[in-house]
Amino acid sequence: MYHVRATAATTRRIMKQLSHDPRTLALIFVVPIILLSLLKWLYSDSSEIFNRIGPAFLGLFPFIIMFLLTSITTLRERAGGTFERLMTTPIGKADLIFGYMITFGMIAVVQALIAATLLLYGLDISIQGPEWFMILMAVVDALLGTALGLLVSAFAQTEFQAVQFMPAFIFPQLLLGGLLVPLAQMPDALESIAYYLPLTYALDALNGITKNSDITGEMWRDLYVVGGCIIVALFLGALTLRRRTR
């Protein structure tokens, strides 16, 4: 029961900090709306293309934004000594990580729901599969970005380095995830690498929404793999917490 209270206390503290930065919160929720609207505008004369790529970008935008927000914010607390001070108390590593994940996870869920609602009812996207599964995958993708952001923050010393993880950690997944070139058309070596990247499964599930009227076994597999990657990232993130900062 103590651990639950410790996690809740961490969650309340971070929420209070974020509430004092309304501009950041506004950008979190507004940027995906702007980007999806621009995408719709770009393909205003080709609704077929928009219907095909829209779900994939619904997963990408919250994923990227939450990755950046979480990695930079968490790094700031690591570098500022907040983690070091907290870990001199009885608060455990898991309490800290889950507190951060709950806070940013709630933001990620709201962000993904807003973006999905806009895509379905504001931008009138047409998909073959069930809408609820697309919304679910958008939420899970945003949570994946949050979990990976918590993990990579341990390997950066400055906020600039955290931003540099974007091309180093995220861009390869974008290139090999099947968004630009179908996996089956990639060189064998790149295709093999792609199946070790979590974003590949996220994009595969969202692409499946555009082609299948029912949820296939592969789409369920994709969901489970992404969920497993979230759990693994959180576990590894807890292991990286240290009592002393560098």
Side-chain angles (χ1 to χ4, degrees):
M1 186 69 179
Y2 172 81
H3 296 292
V4 174
R5 292 199 299 268
T7 300
T10 301
T11 301
R12 288 194 299 269
R13 179 181 64 81
I14 305 169
M15 278 295 217
K16 185 177 180 180
Q17 290 177 350
L18 290 175
S19 67
H20 294 154
D21 192 1
R23 287 179 294 183
T24 297
L25 291 175
L27 287 173
I28 293 170
F29 299 131
V30 171
V31 168
I33 293 176
I34 295 175
L35 294 176
L36 287 172
S37 299
L38 287 174
L39 187 68
K40 172 66 173 180
W41 193 4
L42 182 65
Y43 292 103
S44 57
D45 295 330
S46 183
S47 59
E48 182 179 348
I49 297 178
F50 178 72
N51 292 336
R52 187 173 69 249
I53 68 174
F57 280 94
L58 173 64
L60 280 179
F61 292 149
F63 169 81
I64 293 172
I65 293 170
M66 291 309 304
F67 175 85
L68 286 173
L69 170 70
T70 307
S71 59
I72 292 174
T73 303
T74 308
L75 172 64
R76 188 177 299 165
E77 298 230 317
R78 288 179 187 262
T82 301
F83 277 13
E84 184 175 346
R85 291 191 296 271
L86 287 174
M87 292 193 65
T88 61
T89 71
I91 295 178
K93 294 181 178 181
D95 301 325
L96 283 174
I97 283 295
F98 282 111
Y100 278 79
M101 184 63 191
I102 290 172
T103 304
F104 291 113
M106 288 189 294
I107 295 173
V109 168
V110 173
Q111 181 195 57
L113 289 175
I114 292 174
T117 301
L118 171 72
L119 192 65
L120 287 169
Y121 307 111
L123 303 179
D124 297 323
I125 194 171
S126 177
I127 58 175
Q128 296 293 323
E131 296 177 352
W132 68 265
F133 190 79
M134 186 182 75
I135 296 174
L136 175 61
M137 283 307 306
V139 170
V140 172
D141 285 354
L143 294 175
L144 176 64
T146 302
L148 293 178
L150 285 171
L151 174 60
V152 303
S153 67
F155 304 101
Q157 297 295 314
T158 65
E159 293 181 21
F160 179 70
Q161 290 180 8
V163 174
Q164 286 180 312
F165 272 104
M166 184 72 181
F169 194 78
I170 300 299
F171 285 0
Q173 297 193 62
L174 296 179
L175 294 175
L176 301 180
L179 181 63
L180 302 178
V181 178
L183 297 179
Q185 298 179 17
M186 291 182 182
D188 293 341
L190 294 181
E191 183 181 359
S192 299
I193 294 173
Y195 283 111
Y196 288 95
L197 305 176
L199 195 57
T200 297
Y201 297 91
L203 293 176
D204 185 61
L206 288 167
N207 287 331
I209 289 290
T210 67
K211 299 178 290 187
N212 302 289
S213 57
D214 296 318
I215 304 174
T216 65
E218 288 187 356
M219 292 162 66
W220 281 118
R221 176 210 63 185
D222 294 336
L223 175 61
Y224 297 147
V225 169
V226 175
C229 289
I230 293 173
I231 295 173
V232 171
L234 291 176
F235 175 75
L236 294 176
L239 292 180
T240 64
L241 291 181
R242 306 177 184 88
R243 292 189 179 275
R244 301 181 69 89
T245 55
R246 294 179 180 179

